[in-house]
Amino acid sequence: MNAMPYSSPGTADVDAPAKIDARAYVDPLASVGPGCVVLGGAHVGAGVTLERGVYVGPNAVFAGLPSVAGDGPTLVRSGAWIGANATLSTGLTIGARALVRPGAVVTRSVPPAAIVEGNPASIVGYVGLSEQAAIAAFVAEPPGRRPAVQPLPVKGVTLHHFPVIPDLRGQLTVGEFDRQVPFKPLRYFLVYGVPSREIRGEHAHKECHQFLICLRGSCAVVADDGRNKAEVVLDSPDRGLYLPPMTWGIQYKYTPDAMLLVFASHHYDAADYIREYGEFCAAVGV
């Protein structure tokens, strides 16, 4: 990754004219926005739209023709970065500031700010995650020395460690609502049997509070307040993550045996969800 033309997605001059290498092919029916960079050997086919500030690396290919494949247009949102020799199927949406690593074969849409790699490409991280050293140090502390609550760099988000009571008959861990857990739940749900490539969450709530505990196996949770992100691995039933309202939450990297328990402060209400990241950013004022 040292060969990137700039340090991260979204840093190009989005007001400058597009720069298209003479050795690149851009179909007349493609749309290339201002600030885009398309390098030599890249192929941008018919029906592809590159929004502002998109970087397309050498020999990257947007495969196929939507009119033939029937997959619809391909949309690459502002500030996305497509690495050298990447191949993208038709009909996909690549989210704003997403990063497709060199050589990736992308067959499914990519969420905003996600980092994907491999063949087929899968999400391996997110752009802009805050430094994890403090979180790792907290998790590594012996149970008797861990603080009960660890604030994270994301507004209002906290990592909680619950007491463990050892016993010859088996371990026991316990938490109390309105004490260790900062609300009283009206609903719970369990997420399990998730294939490792799948992503859950990808939304925020306007009013609902959530508290996540991985009862078995592990999964990673990304919390995002629009300005800061942090990733936490939940891999023990004595550890929980609190997500207040207006926090964008993502769960991924599920192990095959993972079982995630989520407590919610409200009954299900479809109107409480914000499912588009751009809408979320607008709502929090970024």
Side-chain angles (χ1 to χ4, degrees):
M1 298 301 289
N2 293 331
M4 286 186 185
Y6 45 87
S7 60
S8 64
T11 60
D13 183 354
V14 296
D15 294 320
K19 296 180 181 179
I20 301 174
D21 191 286
R23 295 164 295 173
Y25 173 78
V26 177
D27 192 278
L29 297 179
S31 175
V32 179
C36 290
V37 175
V38 182
L39 295 187
H43 181 104
V44 181
V48 175
T49 295
L50 308 181
E51 291 188 343
R52 286 174 170 266
V54 171
Y55 170 86
V56 180
N59 304 310
V61 174
F62 291 86
L65 291 172
S67 58
V68 175
D71 293 329
T74 296
L75 176 60
V76 184
R77 296 286 190 182
S78 296
W81 192 95
I82 312 298
N85 300 302
T87 301
L88 295 90
S89 298
T90 57
L92 305 182
T93 295
I94 309 301
R97 299 185 70 246
L99 192 158
V100 176
R101 284 185 170 162
V105 177
V106 184
T107 58
R108 302 197 299 179
S109 293
V110 178
I115 302 169
V116 300
E117 66 178 25
N119 179 11
S122 59
I123 296 175
V124 295
Y126 282 82
V127 173
L129 283 174
S130 298
E131 176 61 47
Q132 301 298 299
I135 299 171
F138 167 73
V139 172
E141 284 282 356
R145 295 174 55 189
R146 293 175 187 165
V149 179
Q150 169 83 14
L152 300 190
V154 180
K155 183 179 179 181
V157 176
T158 47
L159 183 63
H160 296 243
H161 177 74
F162 298 106
V164 175
I165 297 92
D167 192 291
L168 293 176
R169 298 165 295 176
Q171 305 279 80
L172 184 148
T173 184
V174 61
E176 295 183 311
F177 294 103
D178 258 357
R179 290 185 177 178
Q180 288 107 324
V181 180
F183 63 87
K184 290 182 179 178
L186 292 179
R187 176 171 58 103
Y188 80 89
F189 55 92
L190 284 167
V191 180
Y192 58 97
V194 179
S196 60
R197 291 186 64 214
E198 296 300 322
I199 310 299
R200 302 282 308 191
E202 292 190 288
H203 61 255
H205 289 279
K206 299 173 185 176
E207 297 183 3
C208 186
H209 302 248
Q210 292 190 318
F211 196 87
L212 289 66
I213 301 173
C214 197
L215 302 178
R216 187 176 64 203
S218 69
C219 70
V221 181
V222 175
D224 179 356
D225 61 15
R227 293 177 175 83
N228 299 298
K229 296 184 180 75
E231 180 175 320
V232 175
V233 174
L234 297 179
D235 58 1
S236 176
D238 63 347
R239 187 178 309 133
L241 185 68
Y242 169 61
L243 300 180
M246 298 308 293
T247 302
W248 188 263
I250 301 166
Q251 300 96 50
Y252 73 126
K253 296 180 183 175
Y254 282 84
T255 58
D257 60 341
M259 180 177 289
L260 181 67
L261 171 64
V262 181
F263 293 105
S265 64
H266 289 58
H267 294 126
Y268 175 78
D269 178 6
D272 188 55
Y273 286 72
I274 301 176
R275 297 189 182 275
E276 292 294 331
Y277 188 72
E279 180 186 349
F280 166 74
C281 288
V284 296
V286 297

